[in-house]
Amino acid sequence: MAARLSRGSLRLGVRLCAPCPVRSVRCSHSGGMERPEAPFAKKLTDIGIRRIFSSEHDIFRKSVRKFFQEEVIPYHTEWEKAGEVSRELWEKAGKQGLLGINTEEHHGGVGGDFYSAAIVWEEQAYSNCTGPGFSLHSNIVIPYISNYGSEEQIKRFIPQMTAGKCISALAMTEPGAGSDLQGIKTNAKKDGSDWILNGSKVFITNGWLSDVVLVMSVTNREARSLAHGISLFLVENGMKGFIKGRKLNKMGLKAQDTAELFFEDVRLPASALLGEENKGFYYIMKQLPQERLVIADIGISACEFMFEETRNYIKQRKAFGKPLAHMQTVQHKLAELKTRICVTRAFVDSCLQLREEKRLDSATAAMAKYWASELQNSVAYDCVQLHGGWGYMWEYPIAKAYVDARVQTIYGGTNEIMKEMIAKEIICD
């Protein structure tokens, strides 16, 4: 059993005796109003700030930060060259209690609150290491199984996923269908009690290392709309006809394995169907707000990292005989950046609170994803500019942060789609 924090008491378990996530049902935020918000903090990445967190969360954050400093940062350059992180890292994360945090204990998860889950992806952003696909695995794929899976599926997959021994991926995007999920061609046809799956997927995070893939497929083309004829399947590595294509050579996210997947007459047992037949699109619409909130919080956390990285640089770098930090134009740019980052952080934190209270709606999540990812790209641009020529060098962290930011406005639904969703909510009666 994982070690966990509950009302300030530390119970030691087998997971390296490390501080673990705060239990969602026992979380105390006493004194939360006394915690400084981001604008008042010495650094935007400081531990002990933001009122949505408690002192218990701070203890957990320290352990997560240490994990990324010791187990991820020293090896990330090597993983960038390989195009994937090591499987050993996943198991270390599992032992540390960093996977499946917000999943109920009785389902095989850690049983922590949503804020604890957020701490993991925020600390990953602060480490500037985008390789580990932990957030997709823990906060996007596992919830599908936990919320819609059978008892057999839950028992079979979630404990292994929480332990880091079963790596998951989500396969929706196809060569001809991205944000328009109703345009997919991958299909599954009944053959007795089995299903025969055919099609292909692309841009699949964790695809190369995956042990199980949640695949979106058409199961009824005669439905009144394709949205009523889509189902989800759990496809396991090694199944006949399931082929992993090449690892894709991306502009950024170099250490994150992203693959093409092919399904050629893959025979799936009835037990591979997740939830009910033809209900897949409904499940996806229910889960997308959380996915978009994850993207938003990663985006604003990356902004906070880039700001602090740039602040440190301009204090040391000299031009015309004085530090860049003494130049008014540079000072004003930093003032603009901090203001925009802190305003966005306040909004995203309110969205995290809404999600913890199970009140986050699709339009608000779309606003968070659109705004934070746009800001992330804008901040990256300005921070590279403040670094000058050195900002264009790959060995400088800001260069990696710049290219990693670009995809944030694309996946999880493009920002153009986010605006459509927000607009529909505005004009509806």
Side-chain angles (χ1 to χ4, degrees), residues 167-211:
I167 300 172
S168 65
L170 179 63
M172 292 187 183
T173 304
E174 299 185 0
S179 295
D180 179 16
L181 295 178
Q182 295 190 61
I184 68 167
K185 303 298 182 185
T186 297
N187 65 88
K189 296 180 180 179
K190 275 279 187 70
D191 184 27
S193 62
D194 292 347
W195 294 89
I196 306 300
L197 180 68
N198 281 283
S200 64
K201 302 290 182 177
V202 71
F203 311 141
I204 307 305
T205 301
N206 296 341
W208 185 259
L209 288 173
S210 63
D211 299 298

Side-chain angles (χ1 to χ4, degrees), residues 237-251:
N237 187 35
M239 284 183 163
K240 186 178 180 181
F242 174 28
I243 303 166
K244 295 179 180 180
R246 63 195 174 99
K247 283 185 286 186
L248 300 173
N249 186 19
K250 309 180 296 298
M251 175 195 298

Side-chain angles (χ1 to χ4, degrees), residues 92-113:
K92 286 180 178 179
K95 289 178 181 177
Q96 189 77 4
L98 305 187
L99 305 176
I101 289 176
N102 191 220
T103 300
E104 297 90 337
E105 270 187 286
H106 69 272
H107 281 175
V110 173
D113 63 6

Side-chain angles (χ1 to χ4, degrees), residues 216-400:
M216 180 182 180
S217 173
V218 177
T219 47
N220 182 9
R221 291 202 179 276
E222 306 304 317
R224 62 181 184 273
S225 73
L226 198 57
H228 294 89
I230 285 175
S231 301
L232 301 177
F233 294 92
L234 292 165
V235 181
E236 297 178 63
N237 187 35
M239 284 183 163
K240 186 178 180 181
F242 174 28
I243 303 166
K244 295 179 180 180
R246 63 195 174 99
K247 283 185 286 186
L248 300 173
N249 186 19
K250 309 180 296 298
M251 175 195 298
L253 308 182
K254 291 292 188 180
Q256 188 179 105
D257 91 82
T258 310
E260 299 172 309
L261 303 179
F262 301 94
F263 309 96
E264 299 177 357
D265 291 327
V266 180
R267 180 171 291 275
L268 301 172
S271 60
L273 176 68
L274 185 77
E276 297 181 43
E277 181 181 337
N278 298 323
K279 289 290 185 69
F281 194 78
Y282 167 79
Y283 300 151
I284 291 165
M285 292 300 104
K286 291 284 286 183
Q287 295 300 126
L288 277 175
Q290 177 162 308
E291 177 179 349
R292 287 162 180 163
L293 177 57
V294 172
I295 293 171
D297 195 20
I298 290 172
I300 189 59
S301 299
C303 290
E304 291 162 341
F305 163 79
M306 290 186 286
F307 178 84
E308 296 300 341
E309 190 72 21
T310 303
R311 172 156 61 175
N312 290 338
Y313 179 81
I314 60 102
K315 285 182 176 180
Q316 299 169 15
R317 178 69 172 170
K318 291 185 176 181
F320 306 105
K322 60 182 178 180
L324 288 175
H326 290 178
M327 297 182 176
Q328 188 180 59
T329 53
V330 173
Q331 293 172 356
H332 284 187
K333 177 55 68 176
L334 288 175
E336 292 173 11
L337 290 174
K338 184 173 181 180
T339 301
R340 292 162 66 200
I341 291 168
C342 289
V343 169
T344 304
R345 166 51 74 194
F347 176 56
V348 173
D349 276 3
S350 73
C351 291
L352 290 171
Q353 187 169 8
L354 287 171
R355 168 56 187 81
E356 174 64 9
E357 297 168 355
K358 296 180 171 53
R359 296 193 297 123
L360 180 68
D361 68 301
S362 295
T364 305
M367 292 180 203
K369 191 269 183 185
Y370 148 63
W371 187 262
S373 61
E374 292 284 350
L375 179 65
Q376 182 182 357
N377 277 270
S378 176
V379 170
Y381 180 93
D382 287 338
C383 288
V384 167
Q385 190 72 16
L386 288 170
H387 275 72
W390 293 112
Y392 200 65
M393 299 297 104
W394 189 248
E395 63 265 28
Y396 273 70
I398 199 65
K400 296 179 183 181

